[in-house]
Amino acid sequence: MILAVAEHRRDELRDVSLEVLFAGRELADALGTDLHATVVGGDVDAFADELNREGVDAVHTVDHGEEFNHDVSVQALEQLVDDLTPEVVLTPHTVNGLDSAPALASRVDYPLVTDAVALAVEDDTLAVDREMYGSKVETTLELPAERALVTVRPSEWPQAEGVGDAEIQPFDATIDESAVRSTVTGFEEVAGGDVDISEADVLVSVGRGIGEEENLDIIHTLAEALDATVSASRPVVDNGWLPKNRQVGQSGKVVTPDVYIAIGISGAVQHVAGMKGAETIIAINNDPSAPIFDIADYGIVGDLFDVVPALTEQF
Amino acid sequence: MQLLVPVTDAATVDDEFEIDGLAVDERYLTYDMNEWDEYAVEAAVQIAEAGDDVEVVTVTVGPERVEETIRQALAKGADRAVRIWDEDLADRQLLDARAKAALVEAVARDVDPDLVLTGVQSGDAGFGATGVTLAERLGYEWAAVVNQLDVDPAGGVAHVHRELEGGVEEVTDLELPAVLTIQTGINEPRYASLRGIRQAQTKPLDVQTPAELGVEEADLDSPLTWTDTREPEAEGEATIFEGDAESAAGDLATVLREKGVGQ
């Protein structure tokens, strides 16, 4: 059996849950076995209905608490895994996945591979493809397909569709409250500020390649010439050179402008998650193997300190 | 109060590189302190500066090369360091999260930290699992991807924000002792002072073998086998404008005007 673990937040099932189901169904087919799903906490009955997609054989619900709490989740999943003994457990490679999957793996003694971008089975061996060095290198790790916990990178698989005939099975987990040593007291939205980059038609976006804060002047000058809005990848915001509300990516904003000009941005997966929906993507980077060129429509391989002023001159 | 900071170095790859077997040829790799760990070191040093009688101990699994990174951490304010390595570790194809956590655990049992601060992940392999695995092995509470931290040692509590996806932060209180994996941007990592760099040369840096730490071979063995390393196939269909900066910029400007930009 494959066990796919769903994720939810603030009353909504997260899309990645359906992607994990898709990956799980492929794997279940390759191993000739069943696909079960599970969800811990929240409105589990509603979530179970959503998880009942084509190819899902059962959904195990653990009705305990409203929001994700790793101390609850890991206890519940440990008991469920002990009960079901799945060959492979798949969980989302999300922030909450990072917060729970390693603890679960340790507790049930399943070997762990994180951030899978592809999965294959051959002769009872599970092959997991992952990336290294910011997507510049791809590797394969193999392990026995009889006992594995794999976290699955978001947006690499399609979402499972259709309606299945899964049996919804409430699972009566015993939660030891004295072992719940963390309390989620709330959520905070990152300050919005005066600029909403997700509303912009044209974004001039700057990354690590800019090097120093004072170099940002050429970016602002270009943005003015193009009547565009300035956004940034994570390192620029981490350094405090632009406010958090300008950050594009997984932990920042998702943007879909008409034109996205990525300057000195390598195109790490966390950044791409926030801008791949742009209609036209333009990359300016001195590294020809930078992953940003894989998703760009137009590109210039060159020194941004030469190219950006030259581009500004054109307008 | 005792703080343990697992630190490592991470490699970046040159623009052009070659793969030799399973690894990127060393000639094309540049090692520096792992970016996430820089923020973890800074977080620890800030706690030490704010409190009395706080010791910051770093622990690293790695070859002699990594001592450059360890000395950086010492120069920035860590008090002492432990590096774990031997021939057997060097010969292993890979150390998985469980193995690394088992090694760090052995040092943690000795240091008995109130708080373990480490990076969310390494910049090269990006497994992102050692910290939480360590917490589980130690029986500590934990929080992954922490981007705001306020420790209350007297109350035995850490108030944290965890950076979730989509500009949302989870606000959580957790009991000490705990392992926190630290996100970039949580603070402004300092540069080492000249005085700090001088002092770092005389701070203790102990090298220990797994055997000396009492870590069994079985804890280091992994069911994972690394079977292939390759350059991803270029998926791009980008039109690349060639030539010098002026002519490439001219071509790009034409495309932008066609799309109504800057009109």
Side-chain angles (χ1 to χ4, degrees), chain B residues 173-253:
Chain B
D173 292 337
L174 49 118
E175 293 175 21
L176 300 180
V179 178
L180 307 181
T181 78
I182 301 295
Q183 176 65 302
T184 59
I186 187 175
N187 51 38
E188 289 179 39
R190 69 194 64 196
Y191 291 98
S193 64
L194 282 173
R195 184 161 158 271
I197 292 166
R198 267 201 312 276
Q199 284 177 340
Q201 297 308 318
T202 58
K203 287 180 177 175
L205 195 173
D206 296 329
V207 182
Q208 305 234 298
T209 66
E212 285 166 346
L213 291 166
V215 177
E216 309 274 341
E217 287 267 320
D219 281 329
L220 304 174
D221 293 336
S222 175
L224 308 183
T225 314
W226 188 345
T227 56
D228 189 44
T229 301
R230 59 200 172 269
E231 282 192 63
E233 285 171 33
E235 296 162 14
E237 291 166 10
T239 304
I240 302 292
F241 300 119
E242 311 278 354
D244 60 18
E246 282 70 27
S247 84
D251 292 340
L252 177 53

Side-chain angles (χ1 to χ4, degrees), chain B residues 23-206:
Chain B
V24 172
D25 191 314
E26 282 284 337
R27 287 177 296 167
Y28 306 101
L29 295 177
T30 308
Y31 290 91
D32 212 335
M33 185 188 290
N34 179 40
E35 192 180 353
W36 282 265
D37 294 342
E38 287 194 35
Y39 292 87
V41 169
E42 179 63 33
V45 171
Q46 285 185 9
I47 293 168
E49 286 171 344
D52 294 327
D53 201 21
V54 179
E55 189 185 38
V56 178
V57 183
T58 70
V59 54
T60 305
V61 179
E64 202 172 345
R65 179 200 73 224
V66 81
E67 291 199 356
E68 197 174 321
T69 281
I70 296 171
R71 291 286 176 202
Q72 276 181 43
L74 293 171
K76 290 177 179 197
D79 296 298
R80 64 183 175 94
V82 179
R83 177 170 74 85
I84 307 164
W85 203 243
D86 70 354
E87 288 294 313
D88 171 66
L89 289 178
D91 288 341
R92 284 174 186 268
Q93 188 199 32
L94 63 83
L95 290 170
D96 65 16
R98 176 174 160 274
K100 285 182 187 161
L103 292 164
V104 173
E105 178 196 357
V107 173
R109 298 251 177 231
D110 180 51
V111 173
D112 194 21
D114 301 279
L115 203 53
V116 180
L117 300 170
T118 191
V120 165
Q121 60 185 0
S122 65
D124 44 16
F127 239 80
T130 307
V132 175
T133 306
L134 173 68
E136 182 60 30
R137 294 184 71 97
L138 287 170
Y140 279 25
E141 186 50 37
W142 73 89
V145 196
V146 170
N147 72 342
Q148 193 175 315
L149 168 62
D150 177 17
V151 184
D152 172 10
V157 180
H159 309 282
V160 305
H161 284 206
R162 296 179 53 239
E163 186 191 75
L164 304 179
E165 295 85 358
V168 178
E169 297 179 0
E170 180 200 277
V171 185
T172 296
D173 292 337
L174 49 118
E175 293 175 21
L176 300 180
V179 178
L180 307 181
T181 78
I182 301 295
Q183 176 65 302
T184 59
I186 187 175
N187 51 38
E188 289 179 39
R190 69 194 64 196
Y191 291 98
S193 64
L194 282 173
R195 184 161 158 271
I197 292 166
R198 267 201 312 276
Q199 284 177 340
Q201 297 308 318
T202 58
K203 287 180 177 175
L205 195 173
D206 296 329

Side-chain angles (χ1 to χ4, degrees), chain A residues 142-213:
Chain A
E142 293 186 356
L143 70 167
E146 59 185 20
R147 196 177 179 87
L149 196 161
V150 181
T151 72
V152 167
R153 179 180 288 183
S155 301
E156 291 289 324
W157 279 266
Q159 296 180 13
E161 293 181 345
V163 178
D165 46 11
E167 207 180 318
I168 313 293
Q169 301 177 350
F171 180 74
D172 190 15
T174 309
I175 305 300
D176 174 3
E177 295 291 345
S178 71
V180 178
R181 296 169 297 182
S182 62
T183 313
V184 179
T185 58
F187 295 92
E188 279 185 17
E189 311 280 342
V190 174
D194 53 342
V195 175
D196 187 355
I197 55 172
S198 61
E199 295 290 320
D201 295 327
V202 183
L203 283 172
V204 171
S205 206
V206 56
R208 193 191 296 272
I210 197 69
E212 303 284 342
E213 183 171 17

Side-chain angles (χ1 to χ4, degrees), chain A residues 2 19-20 22-24 26-27 30 88-90 113 115-122 125-130 141 143 148-153 157:
Chain A
I2 308 297
E19 297 163 19
V20 174
F22 191 98
E26 281 188 337
L27 209 51
V88 181
V89 180
L90 295 181
V113 182
D115 202 15
V117 297
L119 297 167
V121 176
E122 196 170 341
T125 295
L126 177 62
V128 184
D129 289 349
R130 343 176 42 254
L141 297 177
L143 70 167
L149 196 161
V150 181
T151 72
V152 167
R153 179 180 288 183
W157 279 266

Side-chain angles (χ1 to χ4, degrees), chain A residues 300 307 310-312 314-315, chain B residues 241 244-254:
Chain A
I300 296 177
V307 175
L311 186 58
T312 305
Q314 297 281 333
F315 289 89
Chain B
F241 300 119
D244 60 18
E246 282 70 27
S247 84
D251 292 340
L252 177 53
T254 306

